[in-house]
Amino acid sequence: MAIVDVVKWNANEYLYAWKFPSEELSTWTQLIVSETQEAVLMKEGQACGPFKAGRYTLDTKNLPVLTSFLKIPMGGRTPFTAEVWFINKMMTLDVKWGTPDPIQLQDPKYNIMLPVRAFGQCGIQINDSLAFLLKLVGTMPVFDRNQLTSYFRGVVLTRTKDLIAKKIIKDGISILEISAHLTEISTALQDQLKAELAEFGVNLVNFFVNSINTPEDDPAVAKLKEALARKAEMGILGFTYQQQRSFDTLEAAAANPGGGQAGVMGAGMGLGMG
């Protein structure tokens, strides 16, 4: 394989790390690092860098890891093999997340088990290229957004479920009213997740919970909303649940042809008692 003269990368916004395909380099090879990038050179398990934006000639001045390796120049151009990694430092703000399955929680206000799910998005940026490369990327030739979100999905969902459950149970907030606390929950989750992602060289720029809701087609949700709608209707009309039950009893008695006058009188007594 021919010795490469120029090493550079035209970054893709969905790729966070990319390994240059050739490892045949020399002390005349030009390493070009664009803005929003950093480069790391790996030689025999040792890392050199990161190289920030600029143009570099790969020699022992820039690569101290090669000092003992390059002892005998070969016509001024000393060949060697090494891996060159590029890290994308661009900020991405549209990384989506969501709970794949609803979690079952007891609503503290209505004492009924309801399924709860959450959705949102976050912004991330690689801020420590060496930590990111050594702890996450490893030997993979590319590392993209799907791999990153897949790796951290478990952490995000666990922290999100725990905090929502504590907010509902401990603070006594109804599931149907928790949307009023989205900003508070988002801030708390960002504080928790920021430290965990920083360990891997990833900066959590922001974290938003856009929605906490219940599936509309769930039977328990439909039953609760139907009851709340009926309660609201009675409040608008100006009568209570007991009065409504009495009206239902009168209607049932009137619709019963075998009940006669006794049935109507019994219903009337029930209305008076109500």
Side-chain angles (χ1 to χ4, degrees):
M1 183 180 293
I3 295 177
V4 176
D5 292 322
V6 178
V7 176
K8 65 178 182 178
W9 178 37
N10 296 321
N12 183 320
E13 64 175 322
Y14 293 100
L15 291 183
Y16 292 113
W18 178 74
K19 177 185 174 184
F20 190 76
S22 176
E23 299 180 11
E24 302 295 325
L25 310 174
S26 82
T27 51
W28 286 357
T29 298
Q30 300 295 299
L31 171 64
I32 301 175
V33 184
S34 302
E35 296 288 346
T36 72
Q37 292 180 7
E38 284 185 351
V40 176
L41 188 139
M42 300 289 292
K43 174 63 182 175
E44 296 180 352
Q46 298 184 61
C48 185
F51 296 88
K52 298 187 181 298
R55 187 183 187 97
Y56 304 87
T57 299
L58 300 186
D59 56 29
T60 54
K61 290 185 297 182
N62 292 328
L63 307 173
V65 71
L66 301 179
T67 302
S68 61
F69 176 72
L70 301 176
K71 294 181 179 179
I72 305 176
M74 300 175 60
R77 181 186 178 107
T78 306
F80 64 93
T81 59
E83 299 175 358
V84 179
W85 287 91
F86 287 90
I87 308 299
N88 189 348
K89 304 275 289 184
M90 291 182 63
M91 187 184 302
T92 52
L93 302 176
D94 60 343
V95 181
K96 303 291 192 300
W97 64 268
T99 52
D101 300 305
I103 53 176
Q104 297 292 327
L105 294 173
Q106 183 174 13
D107 190 288
K109 185 174 182 179
Y110 302 108
N111 294 319
I112 184 174
M113 296 297 294
L114 295 175
V116 181
R117 57 189 181 183
F119 302 94
Q121 69 181 58
C122 62
I124 58 175
Q125 183 182 32
I126 311 303
N127 65 344
D128 188 334
S129 297
L130 279 177
F132 180 69
L133 186 61
L134 297 176
K135 293 186 177 183
L136 276 184
V137 180
T139 59
M140 291 184 286
V142 294
F143 196 88
D144 59 21
R145 181 183 299 189
N146 290 335
Q147 290 168 296
L148 184 68
T149 54
S150 175
Y151 188 89
F152 288 116
R153 181 179 292 115
V155 176
V156 172
L157 295 183
T158 299
R159 297 291 178 268
T160 301
K161 290 178 180 179
D162 286 349
L163 188 61
I164 292 175
K166 289 178 181 178
K167 198 70 180 172
I168 291 174
I169 298 172
K170 184 178 179 180
D171 295 353
I173 299 173
S174 172
I175 295 171
L176 301 183
E177 300 169 355
I178 199 170
S179 294
H181 301 267
L182 291 183
T183 300
E184 178 186 348
I185 294 173
S186 297
T187 302
L189 283 172
Q190 181 173 344
D191 292 341
Q192 290 184 14
L193 294 169
K194 194 177 184 69
E196 296 194 46
L197 270 64
E199 181 182 349
F200 299 91
V202 180
N203 178 36
L204 185 63
V205 179
N206 52 46
F207 188 90
F208 297 110
V209 180
N210 295 334
S211 175
I212 300 176
N213 57 51
T214 54
E216 294 292 335
D217 57 351
D218 185 84
V221 176
K223 186 175 181 180
L224 175 59
K225 290 188 174 181
E226 180 183 354
L228 292 175
R230 189 169 181 82
K231 178 181 177 182
E233 180 183 4
M234 288 189 294
I236 294 172
L237 296 177
F239 56 87
T240 65
Y241 175 76
Q242 288 81 5
Q243 289 173 321
Q244 176 64 38
R245 291 290 295 167
S246 299
F247 296 152
D248 293 340
T249 303
L250 280 173
E251 290 180 357
N256 183 6
Q261 186 175 1
V264 177
M265 288 180 64
M269 291 176 64
L271 177 60
M273 292 176 66

